Amino acid sequence: MRRTKLRSKVSISPSQKKLLTFIAVLCFIFQAVSLHMMYKTEHQEQIDNAKIYGESVASGIKLIVNSSLYITQSMENLYLHNRKPFLDEFDMYCTGLGKSTPSASEFFIAPCGIISHAWPEEIKDSTIGFNMIKDTEQGEKSVQAISTREITVAGPNILKNGKTGFIIRNPIFTNGKFEAFSVVVLDWNKFVQQIISEVDTSASEYDFGVWKKNNRHTYTDEYGFIFTDCNANVSKDLSIKIPVPNDIWYLSVEPVSGWITWKDMIPETLISLALTVLVILLFYIRMHDTAKKFYTFEHDKLTEVLNREGFFEEAKKILKNNPEKSYDVLLGDINNFKMLNSIYGTAVADKLLKYLAIEFKKLEPYGIIGRYGGDSFISLFPTSRRAPEDVFLENSKNIISNAPIKNFKINYGFYGNIDHTLPINTICDRVLFAAKSIKRNYEVHFANYNGPVSKIHMREQLLESSFSDALAANEFKVWFQPKFSADEEKLVGAEALVRWIQKDGTVIPPVDFIPLFERNGLIVKLDEYVFTAVCSLIRRRQEEGKKIIPISINVSRASLHHSGLIQKYKEIIKSNSILPDYVPLELTETYESSNLKLKELTATLKQEGFKIHMDDFGTGLSSLSCLNLLPFDVIKLDKSLIDFIGNDGGDEILRHTIELAHFKKMNVVAEGVETEEQLDFLRKLHCDIIQGYYFSKPRPYDDFIQFIDDRL
């Protein structure tokens, strides 16, 4: 009121009027820009939220289609290699598939394109004898599948039961000649139900449609989702491309309430303009720079909590100003965050991080919280009387149950009553080590550095500091485990392993130093050390005129991502005058197979003549995708799969895995074979190579040389 009164008495000169007019124009421009930014922000946020839902739906569609493709390939393998028992048991086989694949409603085998076997029972009379090649509706896709020798997806079509569906047709060839089709039919209604049941609860907020170019018909189902020509109907704001064999589908997503428009923003803008035009200049000038600097230098842009540097600064101030007070530090580390990011997409992963930042603030309101890394949050707070493990694990269950992503794990590292004399980064390193110590233990969620963890940490620091001297003193010894052909029991290769035997004879188990060196990067030097030792061994045998067997070498993720790896290994190969065929490289399947850099790297290794083996197949979450994405020559079945021999489920997994590998033109090595029963079973499945204690344990250098000389 005082400001208004004073203004009413001010005599305004022409120059002042011009200035006020100029300021008013600036305010109007600012408001217009603000309106534009507000619209863009809200519209983008609306698109981002819809995209999260759309990506979940798209992932569901791709998962179901890929699963169906795999089924047709499995049917092909059974038809080619176990035809009579497969066709005799066709109904039982398909009944099991129908239960495990809800959207798959029909299965067919069609020799020469004419259906001879069909499931379920009620469609047999109407389908057996049906010629898929000559049919008006299906003939085009059938001919395409035969001519391209590739799987086709036909549809949507009106099925014989009157429902809308898709026909996935896999052509089977023998000696270059078309022999039959293996076919899976997907019911569109069930397809949609399965997708909706697996995405989040925001389904009611969005409409989605699946489109394809040049589709001749429009289909709707009981849910109202339309499948038609995408040129006319695809959403201009959001569409996601879904590649399928010999076709491309498009998924469009729109909010049920419609996209936000300029008109939605105008009333709010006009009201705020009248209230803010006089104060916005002062507020913006005084506060904008301060807020911008604060959030730029001390806060994480995504979650709006302190970043690592900001947390360090605030923590230093608190500890300095409260030297007599006891403080604790807690770190929450999201387990396998990269995998979550890959599965759900960046938008959903970012939403999870924002959610966790808010929840961790609630968890400890009297402390400070910061984003310590890409997938971890850290908090400093006064020591509580309650047991920290009880407090945080009790709240962690609620945090995870309400999170935008389900079924993930948070590893908590805790360091209580911290030492004020330690640098804050050292304190944080300790609590991070505690959290990482339980990363692979899915039964444990909380690790206290004050207990046994601190001893482990000191032990690892000692091993790390001893590495260079141990490498120079040749304390790392290369051992070898032979590999034998399954049928002839002939020695065909070996795998190089590393052992750490100190000068006093103390043996440090690989499990104690390999994971440590993978984390701190020292594994790169150790990998090169082993590679050089194996190349030298092969060179000596070559110079002595002795027979040579390939000796595979494990290559860590850190080595693969190390610049200059290929050039370095090429130089070692060249200096020893041997072929790269003699030193296959083993990669563990849990590597980031979707990483483009890794794909390029493995492709280059192949071009240079190296053989690539997938190690530990069956222990991770990306095995099947790895087979398609990376150019493997051999897959090694992990011992955990071999141990399941004799279990019906385990036997079937091994059978289908070996069939799939052979279908992909890959050889199969079974490692960890210890009994004759395991060997006999693997022979029946046509496994190529055997590695394990049944034939030989890992052997030191001299013992290995004598071993192979006796057998070559």
Side-chain angles (χ1 to χ4, degrees), residues 237-289:
D237 291 285
L238 178 62
S239 62
I240 300 171
K241 183 184 289 188
I242 308 175
V244 297
N246 290 293
D247 212 341
I248 295 178
W249 297 351
Y250 295 84
L251 173 74
S252 67
V253 180
E254 293 191 2
V256 173
S257 58
W259 298 109
I260 193 169
T261 66
W262 282 100
K263 294 180 180 179
D264 298 324
M265 310 298 298
I266 291 175
E268 181 181 348
T269 304
L270 292 176
I271 294 172
S272 63
L273 178 62
L275 298 174
T276 62
V277 68
L278 296 178
V279 297
I280 194 169
L281 288 176
L282 291 175
F283 176 82
Y284 187 82
I285 292 172
R286 293 180 181 180
M287 299 299 294
H288 182 265
D289 288 343

Side-chain angles (χ1 to χ4, degrees), residues 333-335 407-411 438-439 441-442 444-445:
D333 181 64
I334 307 171
N335 202 21
N407 299 322
F408 70 98
K409 179 191 176 191
I410 299 177
N411 301 319
I438 55 173
K439 182 176 182 179
N441 189 340
Y442 287 88
V444 179
H445 297 260

Side-chain angles (χ1 to χ4, degrees), residues 560-615:
L560 283 173
H561 288 285
H562 191 265
S563 60
L565 168 81
I566 297 177
Q567 185 60 35
K568 188 66 178 178
Y569 279 23
K570 282 174 58 180
E571 291 173 359
I572 297 172
I573 289 285
K574 185 177 180 180
S575 66
N576 284 279
S577 301
I578 64 173
L579 296 174
D581 275 355
Y582 293 148
V583 282
L585 303 179
E586 296 194 7
L587 283 64
T588 303
E589 61 156 313
T590 51
Y591 293 146
E592 300 165 79
S593 58
S594 61
N595 187 294
L596 291 176
K597 182 178 179 182
L598 183 58
K599 292 180 187 177
E600 294 172 0
L601 184 64
T602 52
T604 305
L605 286 170
K606 289 277 292 183
Q607 291 173 2
E608 296 295 340
F610 288 97
K611 301 294 185 182
I612 308 296
H613 295 192
M614 177 193 281
D615 195 16

Side-chain angles (χ1 to χ4, degrees), residues 320-333:
K320 182 179 179 181
N321 295 331
N322 301 275
E324 304 301 325
K325 197 168 184 178
S326 176
Y327 285 92
D328 299 340
V329 176
L330 178 86
L331 182 138
D333 181 64

Side-chain angles (χ1 to χ4, degrees), residues 384-408:
S384 170
R385 293 182 179 179
R386 290 186 62 188
E389 183 171 1
D390 296 339
V391 174
F392 292 103
L393 291 185
E394 177 183 334
N395 287 278
S396 180
K397 293 178 181 178
N398 294 328
I399 291 174
I400 292 177
S401 63
N402 296 316
I405 293 176
K406 309 301 179 186
N407 299 322
F408 70 98

